[in-house]
Amino acid sequence: MEQLEHAAPTYDQALDEALDLLQRDLEEVDVEVLSDGKDGGPVRLRLIVRDTAIDEAQDWLLDVLDAMGMECSVGIIFEPEAVTLHIETEDDAGMLIGRKGSTLDALQYLLNVAYGPRTGKRLQVDVHDYRRRHMEKLIEQAHQAAERVRSTGRSVRMAPMGAADRKIVHNELQTFADLETGSQGEEPNRFVVVHPRRGAARPFGR
């Protein structure tokens, strides 16, 4: 359990400084007064961080990683719509990522089922910035497909991918006024098709 003892001339100063050191809000801690300063000394407080659903999710993930025989640390990155549990390890990250991110996706799914409703946010699991690099690669592939459609005037079928990856491609190509996208096939071999938009003018010379 995370806790901190801190002293300052006044109660308010001791509390504010301790919260800053812990990077927590008052609602996240229990405060115990160790010394009230009436003897002429400083006010000393002990702040005990309450366990939250995100803390429990972090502990659960660490336990799973330990059971896998991996030495890891797990940091927490807070964003407006999501919380990322970011794994750092000197062991083989490929074992955690799995084929096309399948192991990360499985861990992420379990975390969201168990803790997502209590946090009110989407939980994401990442290791060594895999998801950022994977997204950049998907966007690059989407742009390549778009350029092929513009060059040939014909629809282009992309490689099969999961629902989350298809959503990234669809969202990225929404900004292309002369193109439209759709999904075809059955899971796990469902894929994105990029089409010329009906009625859209083709680029000059193509």
Side-chain angles (χ1 to χ4, degrees):
M1 182 175 294
E2 186 180 7
Q3 57 181 285
L4 172 73
E5 292 186 16
H6 187 71
T10 67
Y11 177 90
D12 288 342
Q13 183 179 343
L15 181 60
D16 289 343
E17 291 176 355
L19 289 172
D20 285 343
L21 289 169
L22 287 171
Q23 295 186 337
R24 299 280 184 168
D25 294 326
L26 181 58
E27 295 77 14
E28 298 179 86
V29 302
D30 292 318
V31 181
E32 180 181 352
V33 178
L34 302 178
S35 175
D36 59 15
K38 291 181 178 179
D39 59 357
V43 174
R44 179 172 292 277
L45 305 178
R46 177 186 291 128
L47 274 63
I48 303 172
V49 178
R50 300 170 185 160
D51 285 337
T52 66
I54 293 174
D55 294 324
E56 293 176 22
Q58 182 186 35
D59 290 342
W60 179 88
L61 183 56
L62 284 167
D63 287 343
V64 171
L65 296 171
D66 184 61
M68 293 172 67
M70 302 194 70
E71 293 187 8
C72 305
S73 62
V74 177
I76 300 175
I77 302 172
F78 292 90
E79 299 171 294
E81 301 297 330
V83 176
T84 298
L85 284 82
H86 196 278
I87 302 168
E88 293 289 344
T89 181
E90 295 183 0
D91 293 337
D92 180 15
M95 180 179 175
L96 285 175
I97 295 170
R99 184 175 180 272
K100 295 184 178 180
S102 58
T103 303
L104 276 184
D105 288 344
L107 291 170
Q108 184 170 293
Y109 172 78
L110 292 172
L111 277 169
N112 277 285
V113 169
Y115 301 102
R118 292 169 54 197
T119 64
K121 292 189 176 184
R122 179 173 55 88
L123 300 178
Q124 181 169 280
V125 181
D126 199 3
V127 57
H128 291 180
D129 286 330
Y130 165 80
R131 294 200 184 277
R132 177 186 58 78
R133 291 184 284 108
H134 180 65
M135 179 180 290
E136 290 174 351
K137 182 178 179 181
L138 278 175
I139 290 174
E140 180 182 0
Q141 291 172 344
H143 283 235
Q144 290 172 348
E147 185 57 33
R148 284 184 7 232
V149 174
R150 286 173 163 176
S151 298
T152 65
R154 299 178 180 178
S155 299
V156 169
R157 167 181 165 174
M158 299 184 68
M161 61 186 72
D165 288 353
R166 293 197 304 271
K167 182 177 180 181
I168 291 171
V169 173
H170 289 310
N171 290 343
E172 180 65 20
L173 296 185
Q174 278 182 350
T175 60
F176 290 63
D178 57 331
L179 304 176
E180 56 188 7
T181 62
S183 294
Q184 296 179 12
E186 301 294 330
E187 300 289 3
N189 297 311
R190 195 162 172 80
F191 53 87
V192 173
V193 181
V194 186
H195 308 278
R197 186 178 297 276
R198 294 180 181 179
R202 294 180 61 185
F204 179 76
R206 294 184 179 178

